Every structure is written in structure tokens, then in C-alpha cells.
Amino acid sequence: MTKQLGILLMLLLFFVGAFSQQKTIDQRVDSLLALMTIEEKVGQMNQYTSFWTVTGPAPAEGRQKKQYEQLRQGLIGSMLNVIGTENVRKVQEIAVNETRLGIPLIFGFDIIHGYKTLAPIPLAESCSWDLDLIEQSARMAATEASAAGINWTFAPMMDISRDARWGRVMEGAGEDPYYTAIVSLARIKGFQTQSLAANNTIAACAKHFAAYGFAEAGKEYNTVNIDPYTLHNVVFPPFEMAVKEGNVRTVMNSFNSLNGVPATGSHYLQREILKGKWNFDGFIVSDWGSVKQMVAHGYAEDDKQAVKIAATTGSDMDMESEGYVTYLADLVRKGEVSESVINDAARRILTVKFELGLMDDPFKYCDPTREEKLLYHKEHKKLAHEIAKKSIVLLKNERNLLPISSKQKKIAVIGDLAADDNSPLGSWRIGSDDHSAVPVLEGIKAYTKNYTYERGVALKNGKTDFLHHVKLNNTDTTGIGKALRLAKSSELVIVVVGEHGFMSGEGRARTDIGIPHLQLDMLKQIYEANSNVVLVLMNGRPLDLSWAEEHIPAILECWHLGTASGNAIADVLFGDYNPSGKLTMSFPRSVGQLPIYYNHYNTGKPFIPNTDIVFHSHYADQANTPLYPFGFGLSYTTYEYSDFQVALRDANKVKVSFEIKNTGKKAGEEVAQVYIRDIAASLVRPVQELKRFKKVALEAGASQKIEFTLTEKDLGFYNSKGLFVFEKGSFDIMIGANARDVQTKRITIK
Ligand code: BGC
């Protein structure tokens, strides 16, 4: 037998094996379904929160007792927010040992940027442009969460974010659909890997389907009205990739209505697109209470009608509405909902339970020794540190104020956030422990003893948590005097300001996105006292940094970087790591510019620079451009792009090549970006669209040639009917270090 034949045979056996395994799952689901009553099928479609922690409005008094009764009757298919193997085991034992059929629960949890060990918030992490690290970060999260009994995460969030007022921009990968798609794919791979059956992998959840990021005026849960053309080209691509290439096992629908229909009751989104056009074979979970919320939307008369709509339009699992478990069996019995609807939903849910291996070993995620060994594992802390430093974005560095020499004398560190070990954890970290981040001060201490700290103004008043708004301290200015005296007597001042960790995330929309409260006043006064200021920012969304950009010589965007925050920030401050992060959301000049995004259309009266003629698309009082563009980030070295060439290859392929040289004195990493613009098409196309990027590491003086091939898939687009079209004609191809600073060449495909 030749070697090739041997390989072929092995491949064949592999595929037959995979197929028969799937067949067994299908057969086993069929056999189980045949035994189930209508109530038991509906039970699989019911998900409750635990009482250990909640991530939405707390369940009503008295629910706990009822919940345990329902659990024993097989009326619960899944729980979320159960903490730790001991509790998971306790609840799972009831499901397995006390219900008629012993079907195990699937345990969901919001593992958004880690379970115990926290990586940077997802928006920050996306600024690393390092897909391998992003995948490892999700792998780390899955390893810890699965060791704590969890088998399903409600992540990644892949909503496109164009409006920094929206608090949930921190959970995604920014404003670009192509980049969001591949970052989400890396995250799904990290959670699920190739084998969901392993005990250290968990099912992922693509959320929120769909268009939640387009909430009007950035206000949480608000209405969304967007055209089908935008839906197909901007909103859908990450989800389509997650389903088709990522084999994501679950999808969560969204709170918002889309063009008049709540997503949870949308036949179009769930049955036509997701389960129809894309053939999604996992299950859809509603968002927290979103089934019954259709009453408040004005789309259902009452809870019962909401249940009927949600189930028939394809929401397979009801998170926390208590709606399916109350009404659905009756609706099926009366013929108002077809039994095939609940058969299909239960089949999807059971299939994922089989795939996870829960049906064979319901306690496979409940090993306390593993839990003990893996949570906060030292390798995880190292990884979180590595990701954190790569997520930092250097926005400005005049007079080469950074990096700071460790011999630098008399450094002042000012700001409440510099000593904070909680805020840097960011929002959405319910599995982790409060106060477990390395504060900036501690990070700095590892590099120098020559610093003095003053808090300045206190950021907040009293206790804060995930469920409540942060109360800003807007009156107490007593700390400023001391801070100013310190600034005056120092050679260099590091000012750490920004948002408290719970000022972004769900329910945290803001109309003012400046540096909050008295911190900006303090920054201004410090700058008056000593202009050698390094501004270290902590925040969960793009902020309006106009004043700082105009005055402060060095600005470092440090987001909420998770567990290793302070170490990572100090590495960059003192030059141990040369910053390489680049923004994945445009930073506006003011809240009035929102929504702002680089891939907008040109309009018929595009911007004319340097003119006072009014008849063009612009603001009378402010530039059109963002303060910092998409893809922007500086380094302690410099890069030069040269030898840019585009060439047409057969089959409408465009070869793009260029060289990047590190022209500075330090080794570094650069994220080279390729954009296109379709010059004329049957529908207007964006002025720029990211199509490729590459992060390259270059020693000082070194250069590297980069080559990409763009195909019809990159040059085409979806029309309003959702059909993908490629149209010949002229295209601008752009290369550069960010969306603003590009070189352009035109190519025509005939
Ligand atoms: C959020 C979801 C989250 C769910 C469960 C909801 O409020 O919108 O993203 O997964 O709660 O915590």
C-alpha cells in the first residue's frame, strides 16, 4: 500500500468515525425524546439563575423553593450563575438522581474575560491584534471555568460598537465587522477547541443576535432600526462566521427590537437567517427575561402570548422569564404551538448536552482537585500579564517622555485609580474575586522606589457592585492640595485617572464620555503645576480625550486590564515592553460626533478640508475626523512602509505587497493593515474596509516583506437581499499603520 493510500484510508476512517459518532448522538437524542413528556421537553427549554449570584433582576421572593420543586420534576434544563464544583454537583445530583429521566443540567455562566484569572476586558484585548493570544485567553477562561463546574459560556459578544455611549462596547471587539468576526472565531476556538467532549472545554455562545450594538443614542436596551443592507454587511458577518466556521454551539438573541420586531420573537432572525440560511444546528437561548419583555415592547398582549411568539419563532431556551415553564406545555396541548417546535428545541439542547459528554458523565466538570489546582494557576497569571501588556495603546508620546528610565528621580504618582485593586478587573467578572488585580502602584514598585503617591480626588463614594451604579464623589476636593504640592516638587508626574471598573458594561450607558467627574479638573491643575505629565487611562470605552490630547505630552490607554493590570502598565511605562496595541474603536472628539466609525459612506457632498464653504458633510464647530482613528497606536520605535505594490492576478485576485521597516532604535511589533474601497458599485460602499492585517515583530533596523492576496470574497459585498455579489470595476487598495495614515493605489478589474 502506498503512503498516500494509507493516509487516504486513515482520513476515511476518521470521517466515518466522526459521522458514526454524530449518528449515535442523533439516535440517542431520538430515543430520549421518545420517552419524554411534553412537560419534560419544555423543562429542557427552561433556564433559571441560581441564587448564589445574579446577573439580572433578582428572581421574586419564594422562587427558590419552587425552583427546587421544579428541578425535581424535570422542569429545568439549565441553570446559570451556579458557583463552584460543590454547588454544581449539588444541583446536578438532583437533576440526575431525582428526576424521572435523570437528564443532567447544562451550566451557563458569563465568562467574558476569564473566570478567576482575568484577562483584559474584551475590547482591550482586541487591541492586541494578536489572534493567537486571544485564543489562548479564551482557552484559559475555559480551563478555569470548566474546572469550576461550568460547561457553557455566554461569550463571545460580537455586537458591532460604533457608539461609545453604550456601556457594552467593553464586551466586544470594536467597530469593524471583519475584525470582530475573526477575533470572535479565535475566542470560540479557545472555548470549544476541536472537541467539546473534553472536560476542559465549554460551549460558546455567539451574542447578541442581533444588532444590539446599534441601540439608538447608545442607550441601553434601546430600539434598533437599521436597513437590511447594513444588517447583512455589518451586523451578520461575525455571526455567520461563528456558525459556519466556528461551529458555535449556541447563540443568544438580544433585548432590542429590530425594525419593529423584538429579536427574541423574530422569525426572520432566528428561523430564516440563523437556522435557515446558515443552517445553525445548535440552540438559541433568550437573553435574561427577554421572552416576557415582549409585553413591555408592545409586541405581545401578555406573558402567554410572548411565550407563544418566542417559541414558534425559534428561541429554544427561555432564560429567566419563567415563561416557557409556565405556559408552553399548555399551549402545545391546546394546539396553539406545534409539538414539532418543542421537539426541535429539546433536540437541539439535548444534542449539545450529549456533545459535551454530560449525558455520559454529568459530573465530569465537578472535580474539586482540578478546581483547586487550576483556578488562578500561575501559568494563567503569566498569560494574563502577557495579554494585558499587549492590549495597552500608546496614544501620544511627545518629547519621548516615555519610557521612563528606572533611574528617573522624583516621580509623583497621582490618582485614586493608581492604588485601586478592583477597578482594573473591569466589568463582567462575576466568577472572579473582588480586589484581586495588581494595582498600578504595585507594578511601579517593581521598577523603582523613587516615587511618592497621592490620591488626589476620590473617585467614588461608598460601595459599588455589578448591579448598581457607581456613585461618583463629586464634591470632595480635599486631596487636591497635597497632590498639587507633590506634582510641583517632582520631576515627572504619572496621573492615573478614568472610569471605575463598573462604569462600563451592561446598564452603564453615559451621555458624557469625558474623563469623569473631578478627575479632569485635577488633571488640568496638575498640568499647570508641572507639565511633565504621563497620563495613564483606565476605562471600558473610548473617552473624549480632547483636552488631554491638546495638552498632555504622554498618554497611555490602559483600559481595564484584569488580574495583572499594574504589572503590565509598569512594563510599558518603564520600557520593558514596547507598546504594540492599536485601537479597535475610533476615539471621538466629543460625544456629539457619535456614532463615529471609520468605515462610513462618503455621501454626495463629502468633506472638503480647509474651507469655510458650508455645503459639505461636516460639523460647523468640529472636525469630521476622530481624535484617534481606528487601528491607531504608537510605539517606542518607528516604522516605515515602502515598496507598496498591487497587481492583478487571474480569477480577479489582487496581490498586495509592501515592506515594513523598523526605523527606530528599539525592537517592536507593528500591526500592518490593508483596507479597500470599492469606487463605484450598485450600492454605495464604505470609504474604507479592513480586509487584512498582520502583526510583525521587528528588531531595530530590521524589515519584512508582507504579501496578501485579496479575492472576490474580499472585494464583494452583500446586497440588501443578503445575496453576495462581486462587481468588477475600480478599487482603491490602502496599506498603513491605521485607518488614517495610508498609502493608496488604484486597481481596475475588467
Ligand atoms: C446579558 C447577557 C448575559 C445574561 C446572563 C443579560 O443581562 O444581556 O449578555 O449573558 O444577562 O447573565
Side-chain angles (χ1 to χ4, degrees):
M1 189 166 54
T2 64
K3 199 171 159 201
Q4 283 92 332
L5 204 64
I7 293 173
L8 256 171
L9 207 62
M10 269 169 61
L11 277 175
L12 197 69
L13 283 174
F14 172 79
F15 284 120
V16 169
F19 179 69
S20 61
Q21 191 198 355
Q22 186 56 37
K23 208 167 156 214
T24 345
I25 288 183
D26 291 347
Q27 284 169 342
R28 291 178 72 186
V29 171
D30 277 345
S31 319
L32 189 53
L33 273 174
L35 302 175
M36 291 168 79
T37 62
I38 290 177
E39 277 73 13
E40 283 164 339
K41 288 175 197 167
V42 169
Q44 288 304 305
M45 300 165 71
N46 179 33
Q47 184 186 51
Y48 281 144
T49 182
S50 80
F51 293 87
W52 286 280
T53 182
V54 286
T55 46
E61 284 281 310
R63 229 272 300 276
Q64 194 159 5
K65 187 163 167 265
K66 182 168 152 205
Q67 192 162 317
Y68 277 108
E69 279 161 18
Q70 290 186 337
L71 183 57
R72 292 193 166 85
Q73 291 159 5
L75 298 181
I76 303 179
S78 172
M79 284 190 60
L80 71 151
N81 295 333
V82 183
I83 308 251
T85 53
E86 201 186 317
N87 293 324
V88 169
R89 181 177 282 278
K90 243 191 252 163
V91 188
Q92 190 73 301
E93 268 172 359
I94 302 177
V96 172
N97 300 330
E98 298 186 40
T99 64
R100 192 178 75 92
L101 294 172
I103 301 173
L105 301 167
I106 174 171
F107 291 89
F109 209 95
D110 290 280
I111 305 142
I112 306 299
H113 53 115
Y115 184 73
K116 286 284 182 198
T117 312
L118 295 176
I121 55 168
L123 178 65
E125 194 181 73
S126 74
C127 294
S128 70
W129 298 70
D130 190 325
L131 296 174
D132 187 42
L133 269 189
I134 291 172
E135 183 180 331
Q136 284 184 51
S137 168
R139 192 82 283 288
M140 165 178 91
T143 305
E144 290 198 5
S146 61
I150 302 304
N151 25 61
W152 175 24
T153 174
F154 304 124
M157 185 192 97
M158 44 188 82
D159 294 306
I160 298 301
S161 302
R162 293 174 164 183
D163 193 328
R165 288 173 295 187
W166 191 43
R168 300 195 78 167
V169 303
M170 53 90 34
E171 279 177 67
E175 73 195 38
D176 185 70
Y178 164 77
Y179 187 63
T180 297
I182 45 182
V183 166
S184 305
L185 203 57
R187 290 183 170 144
I188 294 166
K189 256 203 218 156
F191 292 132
Q192 299 192 160
T193 74
Q194 296 301 321
S195 162
L196 217 52
N199 71 350
N200 63 356
T201 55
I202 56 181
C205 180
K207 75 186 191 186
H208 304 85
F209 198 63
Y212 184 22
F214 284 72
E216 254 173 31
K219 190 167 72 178
E220 188 61 285
Y221 313 132
N222 211 3
T223 309
V224 178
N225 286 313
I226 53 174
D227 58 275
Y229 181 45
T230 308
L231 265 184
H232 288 293
N233 287 285
V234 183
V235 173
F236 287 167
F239 289 95
E240 185 173 5
M241 207 188 234
V243 169
K244 291 187 176 164
E245 289 178 42
N247 190 26
V248 72
R249 301 317 292 138
T250 73
V251 171
M252 186 184 292
N253 55 37
S254 53
F255 287 127
N256 57 287
S257 67
L258 173 63
N259 302 333
V261 181
T264 307
S266 170
H267 185 274
Y268 170 68
L269 288 174
Q270 302 181 112
R271 294 242 185 254
E272 273 180 51
I273 298 295
L274 198 51
K275 293 177 178 174
K277 191 175 173 195
W278 301 340
N279 216 2
F280 171 61
D281 63 355
F283 69 87
I284 302 179
V285 62
S286 81
D287 206 343
W288 185 293
S290 68
V291 172
K292 283 192 182 170
Q293 284 161 22
M294 285 196 282
V295 178
H297 272 293
Y299 195 69
E301 283 285 334
D302 51 25
D303 292 349
K304 191 170 177 180
Q305 197 194 0
V307 165
K308 181 175 166 180
I309 296 171
T312 44
T313 57
S315 292
D316 301 307
M317 188 181 275
D318 169 8
M319 180 194 288
E320 263 303 313
S321 270
E322 230 182 310
Y324 284 8
V325 71
T326 314
Y327 301 106
L328 195 49
D330 197 36
L331 284 166
V332 172
R333 287 227 155 75
K334 292 205 171 103
E336 289 191 45
V337 171
S338 154
E339 192 165 353
S340 65
V341 166
I342 60 165
N343 284 342
D344 178 54
R347 175 188 306 281
R348 288 167 180 272
I349 295 161
L350 290 172
T351 301
V352 175
K353 289 186 178 180
F354 272 108
E355 289 170 349
L356 283 163
L358 284 169
M359 306 299 281
D360 297 309
D361 180 3
F363 303 102
K364 60 185 282 205
Y365 298 89
C366 295
D367 174 358
T369 340
R370 242 185 103 224
E371 185 176 28
E372 168 88 36
K373 190 172 133 209
L374 291 174
L375 302 190
Y376 289 126
H377 194 284
K378 69 174 189 312
E379 289 304 316
H380 294 172
K381 286 192 179 164
K382 262 201 226 156
L383 180 64
H385 184 170
E386 180 72 9
I387 305 170
K389 62 190 191 188
K390 295 205 166 183
S391 305
I392 294 172
V393 185
L394 178 63
L395 295 177
K396 191 176 171 190
N397 194 16
E398 264 175 13
R399 297 186 258 131
N400 287 334
L401 216 55
L402 288 174
I404 304 167
S405 153
S406 49
K407 293 195 194 87
Q408 169 85 48
K409 296 270 178 321
K410 295 184 112 178
I411 302 173
V413 184
I414 299 174
D416 204 0
L417 285 172
D420 196 335
D421 57 5
N422 205 23
S423 269
L425 298 175
S427 198
W428 278 119
R429 30 85 166 202
I430 44 169
S432 192
D433 296 289
D434 286 349
H435 305 286
S436 57
V438 177
V440 177
L441 276 181
E442 201 177 309
I444 290 179
K445 211 181 284 171
Y447 283 92
T448 180
K449 303 279 175 286
N450 288 331
Y451 74 90
T452 312
Y453 172 66
E454 273 300 337
R455 183 176 76 169
V457 294
L459 176 58
K460 65 175 175 62
N461 228 339
K463 198 172 146 11
T464 55
D465 63 27
F466 183 68
L467 295 183
H468 301 96
H469 279 297
V470 176
K471 288 197 188 83
L472 291 176
N473 189 339
N474 277 320
T475 48
D476 183 2
T477 54
T478 45
I480 291 199
K482 273 197 204 158
L484 291 181
R485 279 195 293 282
L486 174 65
K488 253 191 201 129
S489 62
S490 304
E491 289 175 5
L492 181 79
V493 194
I494 301 171
V495 183
V496 187
V497 290
E499 292 184 311
H500 183 274
F502 286 128
M503 283 179 77
S504 54
E506 185 173 351
R508 270 82 176 181
R510 292 178 61 197
T511 59
D512 172 358
I513 56 163
I515 295 173
H517 109 111
L518 299 173
Q519 293 178 113
L520 182 59
D521 296 345
M522 179 178 77
L523 178 65
K524 289 180 179 174
Q525 292 180 52
I526 291 172
Y527 174 75
E528 284 302 312
N530 184 344
S531 66
N532 283 334
V533 173
V534 173
L535 175 60
V536 171
L537 291 162
M538 277 187 197
N539 42 290
R541 53 156 64 77
L543 295 177
D544 167 3
L545 301 174
S546 305
W547 184 88
E549 166 61 24
E550 202 180 318
H551 298 89
I552 302 294
I555 307 177
L556 211 53
E557 176 53 77
C558 296
W559 309 107
H560 295 131
L561 291 176
T563 305
S565 196
N567 296 127
I569 294 170
D571 290 343
V572 171
L573 285 174
F574 290 90
D576 190 60
Y577 182 70
N578 185 357
S580 63
K582 300 218 182 191
L583 301 176
T584 56
M585 269 186 90
S586 308
F587 272 44
R589 293 175 190 275
S590 67
V591 88
Q593 281 189 323
L594 297 175
I596 190 166
Y597 47 98
Y598 83 94
N599 45 359
H600 58 84
Y601 304 126
N602 202 33
T603 80
K605 286 174 173 249
F607 177 60
I608 313 168
N610 308 321
T611 177
D612 52 5
I613 305 284
V614 297
F615 303 111
H616 59 115
S617 174
H618 74 303
Y619 297 105
D621 56 355
Q622 196 160 65
N624 270 13
T625 53
L627 191 64
Y628 303 113
F630 176 83
F632 177 80
L634 301 170
S635 157
Y636 295 151
T637 188
T638 46
Y639 302 97
E640 191 182 272
Y641 288 67
S642 65
D643 199 21
F644 173 30
Q645 295 184 30
V646 291
L648 199 55
R649 294 279 183 266
D650 53 338
N652 303 331
K653 290 194 175 111
V654 178
K655 195 175 146 207
V656 184
S657 63
F658 52 96
E659 197 171 285
I660 308 180
K661 183 167 186 199
N662 180 342
T663 47
K665 293 197 176 68
K666 283 193 170 66
E669 292 148 273
E670 166 70 339
V671 182
Q673 300 154 44
V674 177
Y675 298 87
I676 68 154
R677 176 175 178 185
D678 187 344
I679 298 302
S682 55
L683 289 162
V684 294
R685 299 298 302 143
V687 293
Q688 275 178 299
E689 293 174 81
L690 181 74
K691 289 297 168 185
R692 293 282 188 282
F693 68 91
K694 187 161 188 182
K695 188 162 190 171
V696 286
L698 291 171
E699 292 298 325
S703 51
Q704 191 173 319
K705 187 161 182 187
I706 312 274
E707 281 184 358
F708 292 116
T709 302
L710 303 175
T711 65
E712 287 183 13
K713 202 169 160 237
D714 303 300
L715 302 171
F717 58 91
Y718 289 95
N719 66 18
S720 300
K721 294 203 172 77
L723 293 173
F724 191 80
V725 290
F726 164 72
E727 296 174 359
K728 292 183 174 178
S730 297
F731 295 86
D732 276 349
I733 312 290
M734 292 157 254
I735 58 150
N738 59 67
R740 181 190 61 200
D741 303 316
V742 291
Q743 302 176 32
T744 307
K745 279 191 193 287
R746 183 162 296 187
I747 196 148
T748 303
I749 302 180
K750 294 199 175 106

